[in-house]
Amino acid sequence: MSENNNEQLKMNTFAKVKGRKKTPLTNAEQEFLPEILGPVFRVIAAGNDPVLVRDEDGNETGEVIARGTYSILPIAGRLANKLTSPLTIKTKGRECIFNRQQCAQLMWTTTFISFEEIKLWVVDGQEGLSAEDVRVVKLSDEELKRIMSGQFK
């Protein structure tokens, strides 16, 4: 976990998704993701998910790449007090930012992360979240209180 105390607090960013005509509900949900999810998350588990690489025709190439997978809990936003289980966000083409030892300790530590370009996807009745990048966020007690009280805009 690399932490740089000189960096300014960087909140989540959300992807600008051009909506499809056939998915107006999903398009509307994407627009409200910042309000629903909030600016930062508490990470409770993380790791790598092996993914088979496919070519343009959808055929497996035999190559396997790792994708970072993070189980998170929103600490602000509309879902913060309503979730009974963690959300999962996967980073495309990026390995987990935590090593094995750090992953084993996440459940017992308070570590905050934020993501770049969060996107909601829906395929065949399944939904999920993906992001382009992830970083550890160091929060002071004052910043944490402010964010949890909903003052993060």
Side-chain angles (χ1 to χ4, degrees):
M1 267 185 281
S2 64
E3 295 175 12
N4 185 346
N5 293 333
N6 296 328
E7 276 190 35
Q8 289 185 336
L9 175 63
K10 292 184 179 178
M11 303 292 189
N12 291 323
T13 65
F14 295 83
K16 302 282 187 229
V17 177
K18 184 177 178 185
R20 295 186 184 112
K21 290 180 182 178
K22 294 183 177 183
T23 59
L25 296 176
T26 302
N27 299 344
E29 289 171 344
Q30 181 72 36
E31 183 178 329
F32 292 103
L33 276 181
E35 185 180 327
I36 293 168
L37 295 176
V40 294
F41 303 108
R42 178 175 177 232
V43 61
I44 57 172
N48 284 309
D49 212 4
V51 178
L52 288 171
V53 176
R54 296 180 183 270
D55 63 19
E56 298 85 32
D57 298 324
N59 300 317
E60 293 178 4
T61 64
E63 182 184 357
V64 177
I65 58 170
R67 173 176 57 190
T69 303
Y70 303 87
S71 294
I72 52 98
L73 292 171
I75 62 168
R78 286 196 266 162
L79 281 182
N81 295 321
K82 296 178 181 165
L83 283 178
T84 56
S85 59
L87 296 173
T88 299
I89 297 183
K90 297 180 179 188
T91 52
K92 293 182 173 183
R94 302 225 182 234
E95 290 190 10
C96 180
I97 61 172
F98 302 107
N99 64 35
R100 286 180 185 246
Q101 182 181 7
Q102 291 167 329
C103 286
Q105 295 172 350
L106 286 173
M107 183 74 88
W108 295 279
T109 60
T110 303
T111 304
F112 298 104
I113 57 177
S114 65
F115 293 91
E116 289 289 332
E117 301 294 314
I118 297 173
K119 297 175 191 160
L120 172 69
W121 55 263
V122 178
V123 176
D124 295 332
Q126 300 278 332
E127 66 179 6
L129 295 166
S130 64
E132 295 299 319
D133 204 2
V134 61
R135 66 189 156 269
V136 173
V137 176
K138 187 83 169 153
L139 295 175
S140 69
D141 290 342
E142 283 184 26
E143 288 170 322
L144 183 59
K145 286 177 190 174
R146 184 177 52 80
I147 289 169
M148 291 181 75
S149 70
Q151 299 173 3
F152 53 84
K153 294 182 181 179

